[in-house]
Amino acid sequence: GAIATIERCVNAGDTFKAICVGTGCTGAIQKLQQILGIYVPPAAWTKLAVLVAPGKDWDSAGEVPLNVVKAYPADPSGASKVASVDDTDPGWIRAREAVKAVLRGRGALPIVLVGGYEHHSNELSWRDGLCDYMRVPLTKDFEFDYAFLEAVLPKLRATSPDRLIIGSFSDCSNVTGMRTDIRRISAALRRHGCLLFVDYAASGPYTTIDCNRTEGSFDACFVSPHKFMGGEGSSGLLLLRKSLYKGSLPPTFGGGGTVKFVTPHSHRYSDDIVERESAGTPGVLQIMQTALAFEVKGAIGPENIERKEHELLKDFFAWLKRTHPKEIVVYGNQDPEKRHPIVSFNVVEPHALHPRFVTCLLSDLFGIQSRAGCSCAGPHGVDLFEYTKQDIDVAMQLIVGGGKGGDREPNLLSTKLGWCRINLHYTLDAIDIWYFKEALSFVVKHGYRFLSLYTFDLYTGSWIYTPPDERHGFGETPTHSRSQSLKASFTFHEADHSHIKAEEADLHSFGLDAALAGASSRIVKDVDREDLLKHQLERANVILGKLPDKKVAPPPAPFPPVRIQGRPFFEVAEGMVRNREALEDAAKLLPKEIITGDIEILKAAMQAPPPEPLNPGKEASPAVKVLSPLLAADGSHGQIRRVGVKFTSVAYSVSPGWGKPPLQVLQDVSGICRSGEVLFLMGPHGAGKTMLLNCLSGHVKGAPTGEITFNGAPATQQLFRRTAQYCMEDAPFYEALTVEEHLMYAARLCCPSRAEARRRAEWVISVLGLSACRKSKVGGLVFRGISAGEHKRLAIGEKALVGAPVLFLDEPTSGLDASSALQVAQTLQVLASHNGTSIICSIHQPSERMLECVDHVLLLGTGGRQAYFGSPDGLEDHFVKALGEPRARKATPAEWALEMISAEVGGTDREERIAKAWAAHGVQKMKQLQCGASGASDIPSGGSPLDSFRHTAVLFERSMMNTLRNPIVIWVRLAMDVVLSLIIGTVWWDIGSDVSAGDVNNIAAVLFFNAAFQAFMSITSMHAYLEDRAVLVKEKASGCYNVVSYNVSAFLVLAPFLFLISIVCSAIIYPSLSLNSDGGRFAVYALNLFLTLLCADAVAFLVAAIVPIFIAALAACAFVFGTFMILQGFFIRFPDIPAAWRWLHWAGFHSYSFRTALFNEFDGTVILKDLNTYPPAFVDVNGEVFLKTFDFHDEDLTRNCLIMLGMAVVYRLIAGLWQHFFYTGKK
């Protein structure tokens, strides 16, 4: 049956019995102590003590606080020495020690040694049992002290030769996962005739349990199968060596199922150990579940489990060391070889968090289940936290007080030491681990900002979500019960919240969604599950974006339990205390200098008024009220001068083609966007929204008619560059860089301080919900990358972190779902309200809730005619008056207005009526609007000239990283060049030794081919150059840097790689062909090849700068190289080139490269006679004779090298000039 299956799985054989009891190891330990006669019910002690000292009062309560039980461990120097019993102890404790003293004197009291990291069941039960107990300490590294055990056993055996000595040790710590060397412990105990009990409560699911192993044998072990895979609902398990069981005694509890036969006068117990110790109704289902769990574990294989554990721990600890070396404290040795995947930690930086709060956030936000507390291992926690005696006394005072048993206890359980514990289970895959890392990083960085959503119960240490309407001032008791659903409305101020009720969510169900995304979604393919988990991370960032960022000062004095546990008692930030009595209790117990300051801090935090509206005279929306404190702390970019934009009667036309009249795309459009406002440009497809945006931002060729002013000053290109940032719809990025890297480099280009750049980048990542993809490459042709929505938010974030006074965005919500689009709109509103930024963006189809984030909307109809400008609230009234008809049912005002101004939907008649209505009433209204400030003096000045050096350094670093990651630019090219060099080396092998007349043409051919082909390979960089071109156009138009910084950095990045290629290829070809090795000819050959590559890549760079289309650029580059190759002097001698084409011989770098290579090889070389050539060579000749056949005379190699270097510079200079004059971003 099931018992037999269990015994088979643990190799019980004929020596062990499996007894299923209770629900875990605790029941198994109790059963074993009952069998050994060590367990004694507490009420029995006073009765037994009567036999020791009749007439003595054993029932007194004593003076220690109620339910406090002191431990009296044995002295390691000799078991007969036990600490004297305190007269203040309760009578039952004195009775217990009196009984034990008698048995100790007769050598009948067992001695039990326990380890330093036992859970409570394997320590407290021995303390209170009929035995002497001793705790084996831990080393300074918190590992089992084997030396102590091996030293104390001989002393115990010498002083107590007849007493039973037992070692009861955990196979691993349930806190740190640290493993115990059971083999070494077993050997030590066996040498002195001791018993060994092993506690597999923590390690059982992961390690092999073998009852009859030759090394590390034990006499009993305790297992908790409910922790096994599929073991939920199983029973506890005691594996007992049969020789320990005394069949002559009755079972530990006589009852049904333990007997063979019962009469009124006698009864006979069963002979089977399992039946004798299984009184009552057996847990059949529990036992079967236990057997199945063991079979599942066996099928998986403990060796496979341990291998996977090692991989997970190694990866996790490496990640922690790399990303959170100071923020997270992990307990125990971090060597994966020494532990199981049980990890306990505390978050201590940048804001210390209560471990129970960490578990709440992991569950509520991400559906990740963890545990917090002391893990039923308080003594081990005292060791880990290095508590002093004073620390322990203070902690006990906060919980049980210091009075007599009848006094009321403070019961402040929140002050208990603790940690957050997780298990890196072997079933987790890479996606699960990634998700947990991202979630944990989120909690570490942003967890403190969720404190305002929770109530902290000082009595229980629980963190309970508190709805906004039930949050009270300091010392007031909330009206809701603890069992209330964790419902978060995300409305943080007393105002009309009706318009954001759609965002109400249940944090508990939110966490359940996350759990389903991580678990149930495993039925779908990994990529779908990964998307689901990414979405969950994005949802967490959405909530984060709506939270305040109010900081609370740390406690004025250190206090060990508070410091170690992450300040759970005093620094609860904005989490409200359930009642004032708890603080008063603490104030009575602790010195005033410790507690007073913290209470004042807490009071100040609780009584702080809500933030004022940021724009006087304008009521801020809930989104602004919530996000503004966050922006102030993490996202503000210094004092930004406020700039308003006003445009009046703007018109613009384009030429549709040769001989056709101009096409009017904008007609008499007017509007205004004051500092701190958001303006949406709306209209049907083809209405001219993007064109109007381009006109306002200076991104059109030619000047639009009408008037555009910034703070009343006429808009010029200089003003555009100094005040505005433009975010195009399909912004280009480097596909090999991650989202975080793009934002960081963009921030460094505009911030002198790296720390400030990091702060801006982190703020953008947080607000725009990019945390889940921050480490993902943007992607493109070579790499798989982020989604379209993430790409859009990255483009917005890149512009937002610059902090310009005016921000233009083209379709910032295209490709986003409704929730993400709303988040973007709210972010734009915060930017405008807090920083005073004027934001103008074109929007295709805004939702009604998005329009709540907008100050004004401007509608364009067909042909660029203006239909409306004003508040979104007045949109419907204007169209109703203009059309004389009500809004269509089930259509929002914005949807209805867009339909009416579209000729295809609303008809030309409606369109005309709307245009006339605006011309009659709106134009006059526009003339009355004022922009506010006036004068260009209020506009920020440009940057310092010294910024060019910083820009060059940042661009160099960015380009170097992109180049190293892009295999096409360097590595594929290098591999192809190496392979080609090997082919050349084998085809022309040793041709240069003893050069004869028949070899010279072959040598000349290989010198020509190698240089020409290596130069031609530069077209492999065309894709990277065109990628660079798109980014340069975007960033130059935004004024991020000048073309000098870009070109210098690009050259510095490319030159080392070209030098590497030239050295590697030369090192292969030159010795393989046995080319001329006199003097420094190899160096000249390598230098010539390097300069050739520099020129070739400069030509490719120039072509890419001029020709933006990939295929066309390839063709143009090939044409240029082909022309230079024809006229370089190999295919046709220079004297034979027609005079009209000779200038191209001198204009192409191929000519100088070929002349240098040929002269370097043959100058001073003796060419041997060869009668087999045609015509035959009858005598040896000098190499100069051969050079004269090409009309090469007295070549100056230094001059040739300088000319090629100059050509490389000139080509890049021409490219830079082209970039400077034509990369304007105008359309």
Side-chain angles (χ1 to χ4, degrees), residues 454-484:
Y454 289 81
T455 289
F456 182 53
D457 193 327
L458 283 173
Y459 285 122
T460 66
S462 300
W463 293 83
I464 306 164
Y465 178 79
T466 309
D469 55 351
E470 298 185 15
R471 293 179 194 153
H472 299 271
F474 177 83
E476 299 179 23
T477 304
T479 58
H480 71 296
S481 66
R482 295 183 184 180
S483 61
Q484 179 168 348

Side-chain angles (χ1 to χ4, degrees), residues 900-1057:
M900 294 300 100
I901 59 176
S902 173
E904 297 178 357
V905 179
T908 56
D909 178 59
R910 285 194 177 98
E911 184 184 10
E912 287 295 329
R913 280 188 284 164
I914 294 171
K916 289 180 180 180
W918 174 253
H921 304 289
V923 174
Q924 187 63 31
K925 177 182 177 182
M926 287 298 307
K927 292 180 180 179
Q928 301 173 0
L929 295 176
Q930 297 296 324
C931 191
S934 63
S937 60
D938 289 334
I939 297 174
S941 60
S944 167
L946 294 178
D947 288 345
S948 295
F949 296 100
R950 175 170 53 85
H951 292 163
T952 302
V954 174
L955 293 173
F956 172 80
E957 182 180 334
R958 183 177 72 174
S959 184
M960 178 64 76
M961 182 175 293
N962 182 63
T963 301
L964 288 173
R965 290 182 183 171
N966 196 327
I968 296 178
V969 178
I970 294 299
W971 308 120
V972 171
R973 179 177 177 181
L974 178 60
M976 294 174 65
D977 287 340
V978 168
V979 172
L980 180 69
S981 298
L982 292 173
I983 295 174
I984 291 174
T986 54
V987 172
W988 279 274
W989 178 262
D990 202 32
I991 194 173
S993 63
D994 299 329
V995 179
S996 66
D999 297 327
V1000 291
N1001 287 324
N1002 291 334
I1003 295 175
V1006 72
L1007 293 176
F1008 156 78
F1009 175 79
N1010 182 52
F1013 186 83
Q1014 296 279 17
F1016 203 84
M1017 285 293 291
S1018 62
I1019 65 174
T1020 59
S1021 302
M1022 193 63 68
H1023 168 70
Y1025 287 154
L1026 290 176
E1027 182 184 53
D1028 267 359
R1029 181 189 193 279
V1031 174
L1032 175 61
V1033 170
K1034 175 189 71 173
E1035 295 178 339
K1036 179 180 175 293
S1038 298
C1040 296
Y1041 48 82
N1042 56 48
V1043 294
V1044 175
S1045 296
Y1046 167 76
N1047 281 278
V1048 170
S1049 65
F1051 177 80
L1052 293 177
V1053 168
L1054 186 64
F1057 293 108

Side-chain angles (χ1 to χ4, degrees), residues 307-325:
R307 183 178 65 254
K308 182 64 179 296
E309 285 179 356
H310 183 274
E311 295 173 357
L312 293 176
L313 278 172
K314 184 178 179 181
D315 171 74
F316 183 71
F317 286 146
W319 173 79
L320 276 182
K321 184 177 181 180
R322 185 174 62 253
T323 58
H324 301 294

